[in-house]
Amino acid sequence: PNGFSGIDGFTYFNFPNVEGSYLPESVDEIPHSYRVIAESGSMTKVMRVIADAPAGVMINCTAGKDRTGTTSAVLLWLCGVSPEDIIYDYMITKVTNEERFRRVKENFPNIDINIVIPNENNMREFLRIMAEKYGTAKNYFSSIGITEEEQARYLVRSLAIALAKNVFPVPGGPYRTKPFPGSNPATE
């Protein structure tokens, strides 16, 4: 049921994550729903595919911010990317999916759109919850069954991609280069 499933050059995997397939009841529930996604059995499968992939990996979900955002966030955390840069990466979805969020608001007027649209505070609180519970990304990955060897394979893959693109997801590295449109936390 995905357009990439039959295309040459793609190996398609479908890891249903029912923990992330529901709409949280409130904005306050979102960071906790991200923790549930991060701790789901599907996350272990996703991480193993990424660690073992022979080439690049594309991750997606319905809105591109909850299951995809959580997966991206924990991977960036493992690479030592700062919380502010993880939040920056997450917030790009707000800009790239602006039309999708507009249609959701039009077609589902009774839904609190603030639950649907990415908000910096949701990711910030999720990262705080994860750091408080696990201390480090390595501890988190170990808790979901990802070995140190698998973690190292992901780090090597990320470093190779970063070097090729001249982007360095390492502590203190210049991960982002400029703010994206609509990223004024004072007005959101």
Side-chain angles (χ1 to χ4, degrees):
N2 185 290
F4 291 102
S5 63
I7 297 177
D8 287 339
F10 279 88
T11 303
Y12 174 73
F13 294 91
N14 180 22
F15 297 110
N17 188 327
V18 295
E19 292 85 358
S21 62
Y22 67 93
L23 191 64
E25 292 182 20
S26 70
V27 172
D28 291 340
E29 187 182 320
I30 294 170
H32 301 285
S33 71
Y34 289 178
R35 181 195 49 77
V36 170
I37 292 167
E39 294 173 343
S40 72
S42 294
M43 188 62 81
T44 303
K45 294 175 188 174
V46 169
M47 295 304 165
R48 287 214 165 99
V49 165
I50 292 170
D52 295 334
V57 176
M58 182 179 81
I59 305 164
N60 72 322
C61 63
T62 304
K65 70 170 186 75
D66 300 318
R67 290 164 287 184
T68 299
T70 300
T71 302
S72 298
V74 296
L75 289 169
L76 291 170
W77 185 30
L78 180 64
C79 289
V81 173
S82 73
E84 288 307 310
D85 283 344
I86 293 170
I87 293 164
Y88 171 86
D89 187 73
Y90 168 78
M91 290 302 295
I92 291 171
T93 305
K94 184 175 183 177
V95 176
T96 59
N97 283 339
E98 189 175 348
E99 177 61 24
R100 177 184 283 175
F101 298 137
R102 186 191 62 71
R103 286 194 315 260
V104 167
K105 189 174 182 175
E106 270 180 21
N107 295 324
F108 302 96
N110 295 330
I111 290 178
D112 180 354
I113 197 67
N114 294 311
I115 294 172
V116 178
I117 295 175
N119 178 299
E120 293 177 22
N121 294 326
N122 296 334
M123 183 55 65
R124 184 173 285 109
E125 179 63 9
F126 165 66
L127 294 171
R128 189 200 62 74
I129 290 168
M130 296 297 283
E132 183 177 287
K133 182 170 183 177
Y134 296 103
T136 68
K138 287 184 177 189
N139 290 342
Y140 156 71
F141 277 90
S142 294
S143 80
I144 64 167
I146 301 300
T147 66
E148 286 187 23
E149 180 183 313
E150 289 169 316
Q151 292 177 43
R153 283 200 309 269
Y154 179 77
L155 287 169
V156 167
R157 169 185 303 285
S158 298
L159 182 59
I161 292 168
L163 289 172
K165 294 185 174 190
N166 199 25
V167 175
F168 301 93
V170 294
Y175 181 67
R176 63 179 150 155
T177 57
K178 61 181 181 177
F180 59 90
S183 67
N184 184 351
T187 62
E188 298 188 12

